[in-house]
């Protein structure tokens, strides 16, 4: 698992570098074009289209792979997709806004947007440099994280009477928690609910939902999580083989 995550992090760091470079240079070009002739419709429109495209990707085609086994870490895990994260496109847009607003009309509003874009650019760059989306099932519970948040949910914190649902196109898996005091959060987390982002994971969201429901309902199998034998048994159960 660590090797897979490390490779994904190296790819993401390259994408962050490219996004920052392209965004800053595009912002410089658009800013100077606006100051030269008062308009640069193509240069200013493309970053906006890029941002919209990045947001659409959140609801794009979900993963369809199975959970992987890591015997050393005693975990079943879902690695990030190999494609570039939509957050890198957002980072490029923020970097563009930073330089474009700094070089365009120097009024109070422009400086405000430049400062705001700069703050978010730094925050997102640091987050993307440090973390990739990932999810792991361990005998203790569910560990999930992405560049902006990290969550650990013990199995005992989940409500066995509540259904686990993951609409295929939503990009998020909502966990029904009955003991929120047992859940540990770090970073930017939604209030009053526990969700796991699945849109950036290379694993089928319906498989994740079924696996969560299975281990909530069958605590006797949790201790074997992370072993090839349990992985084979889980595949048979979720595949309808009994």
């Amino acid at each position: 698992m660590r090797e897979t995550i490390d490779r994904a992090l190296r790819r993401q760091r390259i994408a962050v570098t490219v996004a920052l470079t392209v965004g800053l240079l595009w912002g410089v070009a658009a800013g100077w074009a606006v100051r030269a002739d008062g308009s640069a419709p193509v240069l200013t429109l493309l970053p906006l289209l890029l941002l919209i495209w990045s947001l659409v990707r959140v609801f794009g085609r979900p993963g369809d792979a199975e959970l992987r086994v890591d015997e050393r870490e005693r975990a079943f895990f879902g690695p990030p997709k190999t494609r570039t994260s939509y957050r890198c496109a957002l980072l490029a847009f923020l970097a563009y806004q930073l330089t474009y607003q700094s070089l365009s009309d120097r009024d109070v509003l422009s400086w405000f947007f430049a400062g705001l874009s700069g703050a978010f650019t730094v925050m997102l760059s640091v987050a993307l440099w440090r973390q990739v989306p990932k999810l792991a099932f361990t005998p203790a519970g569910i560990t999930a994280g992405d560049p902006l948040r990290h969550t650990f949910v013990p199995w005992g914190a989940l409500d066995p009477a509540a259904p686990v649902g993951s609409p295929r196109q939503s990009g998020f898996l909502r966990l029904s928690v009955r003991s929120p005091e047992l859940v540990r959060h770090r970073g930017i987390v939604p209030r009053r609910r526990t969700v796991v982002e699945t849109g950036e994971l290379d694993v089928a969201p319906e498989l994740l939902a079924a696996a969560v429901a299975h281990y909530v309902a069958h605590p006797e199998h949790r201790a074997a999580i992370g072993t090839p034998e349990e992985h084979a048994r889980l595949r048979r159960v979720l595949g309808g083989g009994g």
Side-chain angles (χ1 to χ4, degrees):
M1 179 169 64
R2 290 186 180 180
E3 293 81 1
T4 302
I5 297 301
D6 287 343
R7 287 195 298 269
L9 185 58
R10 287 193 292 269
R11 291 195 301 268
Q12 183 165 278
R13 287 176 174 176
I14 294 173
V16 167
T17 303
V18 172
L20 285 173
T21 302
V22 171
L24 291 172
L25 292 178
W26 203 270
V28 170
W32 282 108
V34 169
R35 296 181 67 177
D37 58 19
S39 64
V42 176
L43 291 177
T44 55
L45 179 62
L46 286 179
L48 181 59
L49 294 177
L50 175 64
L51 176 61
I52 295 174
W53 171 77
S54 69
L55 295 176
V56 170
R57 290 192 67 181
V58 180
F59 304 96
R61 182 180 178 183
D64 56 6
E66 296 185 350
L67 288 166
R68 304 185 190 183
V69 185
D70 187 331
E71 293 186 75
R72 184 176 58 186
E73 298 287 337
R74 288 300 303 273
F76 299 151
F77 71 100
K81 293 180 178 178
T82 55
R83 72 183 188 190
T84 302
S85 171
Y86 70 91
R87 293 184 179 90
C88 290
L90 177 58
L91 179 61
F93 178 80
L94 290 171
Y96 158 80
Q97 281 293 320
L98 170 62
T99 50
Y100 174 68
Q101 294 293 342
S102 299
L103 293 173
S104 59
D105 295 334
R106 296 178 181 271
D107 54 19
V108 175
L109 193 60
S110 294
W111 284 116
F112 171 77
F113 281 117
L116 191 64
S117 299
F120 280 113
T121 298
V122 172
M123 182 185 72
L124 187 56
S125 297
V126 172
L128 289 170
W129 198 264
R130 297 176 58 185
Q131 181 99 281
V132 294
K134 58 187 175 182
L135 178 143
F137 292 170
T138 68
I142 303 171
T143 299
D146 60 55
L148 299 178
R149 65 183 67 86
H150 181 273
T151 302
F152 173 71
V153 185
W155 293 113
L158 296 172
D159 187 355
V164 179
S166 177
R168 187 169 176 79
Q169 298 298 328
S170 72
F172 295 92
L173 171 67
R174 182 169 182 174
L175 302 177
S176 299
V177 175
R178 65 176 178 180
S179 302
E181 70 277 5
L182 299 178
V183 179
R184 299 200 297 269
H185 293 293
R186 188 173 68 246
I188 303 174
V189 297
R191 295 183 178 182
R192 298 182 180 179
R193 58 178 182 157
T194 301
V195 296
V196 175
E197 182 176 337
T198 61
E200 295 289 297
L201 297 176
D202 188 22
V203 61
E206 59 269 28
L207 174 62
L208 287 178
V212 171
H214 177 76
Y215 284 119
V216 170
H218 298 279
E220 68 274 13
H221 295 304
R222 298 171 189 167
I225 292 176
T227 64
E229 295 78 13
E230 174 61 15
H231 186 253
R233 189 199 66 81
L234 181 66
R235 290 183 62 189
R236 290 195 302 272
V237 171
L238 299 187

